[in-house]
Amino acid sequence: MNSIKEAREAAVAARALYREGTVSPTAGHAPGMTQANMISLPREWAYDFLLFAQRNPQACPILDVTEPGSHSTFLAYKADLRTDLPLYRVWRDGELAEEVTDVRDIWAQHTDLVTFLIGCSFTFETDLLNAGIDIRHISENCNVPMYRTNRVCRPAGRLQGEMVVSMRPVAADRVADAVKITARYPGVHGAPVHVGEPGLLGIKDISRPDFGDAVTIKPGEIPVFWACGVTPQAVVMASRVPFAVSHAPGHMFITDVPDGHYHV
Amino acid sequence: MNSIKEAREAAVAARALYREGTVSPTAGHAPGMTQANMISLPREWAYDFLLFAQRNPQACPILDVTEPGSHSTFLAYKADLRTDLPLYRVWRDGELAEEVTDVRDIWAQHTDLVTFLIGCSFTFETDLLNAGIDIRHISENCNVPMYRTNRVCRPAGRLQGEMVVSMRPVAADRVADAVKITARYPGVHGAPVHVGEPGLLGIKDISRPDFGDAVTIKPGEIPVFWACGVTPQAVVMASRVPFAVSHAPGHMFITDVPDGHYHV
């Protein structure tokens, strides 16, 4: 087990690598440090989004909101939100326009972007691992599988859409443990929203995630679904927001905040 | 122990009494149903307030936000936020202008008020009582004591101010239980922000609360402090907000949501 100091140093080092252009999913990097989803919207959309997050706290638990135009956050000392994530997505009129590794030019053009940092289920993965629960996308060294669902979020202003979920296969006799452990992290999605039966969420083929990579589901394992911070991207699409920047799924912002901070 | 159905009926009956003009602190009424703090602000202040709440979740855990001008909430079927609290406060330029039992005329004059319903520590009192922890303001049949503190909230936009806390005396050998129980209610203030030593919070005389009533602290009991949903009123004062309506301290909005809903 790393010390907090080592984990913080790993977070700083990871951000520095991404700043220099390294592209990689962040699960398992800087273990013990909270990772966050990011979405940046013009100031004129900030109230709608903050309200949407309040109304859908499982999908959009907000960890920090920046001042308009700012690229710093109190979640990580000296971090630059324009460069310190491995991969960004730029959205125009609700459609994915491009994926880039640096958005400094965009901040220069759109000077009033408000950035929302949103809890990520990676935060509770260290506790799951410590409880002896395998995290398949870590053991298979890929991105967590994520799926669009038919579960409608509570709308807010001009924003509406369906929940996106992440999935982890859990042995049937450890599902209760996985629920208990994650329930105590309400700030980073909390307890699962659904256990088993992907079809009831509108997921037609569990082997074909909408974001991230497919993982093996072994015999005796149940697919367990948590609300996912990629939901805002689905909402940006469904609501045809004129302009937005987000992280690329699985390519998160690594903060300086220990996971335990969000444990209640 | 009442059933949920009986508790809901008690909530509906309590709201009806307040609607007809009854004035009374709400602690202990409709036990098992969540009570909420209320603050209504002009639409133009709503983003600042929602951001303030996000940045100070222990003091301002938001349970619902209405549409501008609306007087309904999804927390209670058919409730009218203009009449169904026992006592309201009207604020002008950060000063208390009047206390009234009905604010329908104010909604008619100020047509874009956005109402925030904020978690209240009464929600976890049923669990504390069930654990055999005496709730002094209930056993002494008065309002919970609340104090201004020197603890500065994270500002947001034009809003700033200090945290207000509620206090419950707890026997020294039950303090840990009180912490454990309330920590699992992060949506309604969660764990205490301070245990013992009122002076460190800037409280000069524990027998003279700033809001509510003094309660007896017996030998061997420790004053335990939770962040309080009256904080927004202190913030309205400190920030000289031009216009606001709130509940009167201790005179809460009783919802139809069982307390257990906020347990994680």
Side-chain angles (χ1 to χ4, degrees), chain B residues 34-37 59-63 117-121 123 187-189 228-229:
Chain B
T34 289
Q35 303 195 9
N37 301 273
C60 304
I62 304 252
L63 307 185
L117 295 165
I118 297 169
C120 169
S121 51
T123 297
V188 289
H189 303 303
C228 177

Side-chain angles (χ1 to χ4, degrees), chain A residues 32-52:
Chain A
M33 290 289 112
T34 289
Q35 302 196 9
N37 302 273
M38 180 184 120
I39 187 141
S40 305
L41 296 164
R43 168 69 181 86
E44 199 260 315
W45 285 76
Y47 181 70
D48 281 6
F49 188 77
L50 194 51
L51 191 59
F52 185 88

Side-chain angles (χ1 to χ4, degrees), chain A residues 145-149 163-165 167 203 205-206 208-210:
Chain A
M146 291 162 272
Y147 304 84
R148 297 159 168 283
T149 72
M163 184 185 285
V164 174
V165 295
M167 189 278 288
I203 298 169
D205 184 351
I206 196 76
R208 298 184 57 180
D210 296 296

Side-chain angles (χ1 to χ4, degrees), chain A residues 110-134:
Chain A
H110 299 262
T111 55
D112 73 345
L113 291 175
V114 176
T115 298
F116 298 87
L117 295 166
I118 296 169
C120 169
S121 51
F122 292 170
T123 296
F124 51 58
E125 289 184 344
T126 305
D127 266 21
L128 292 171
L129 287 169
N130 288 342
I133 296 172
D134 182 53

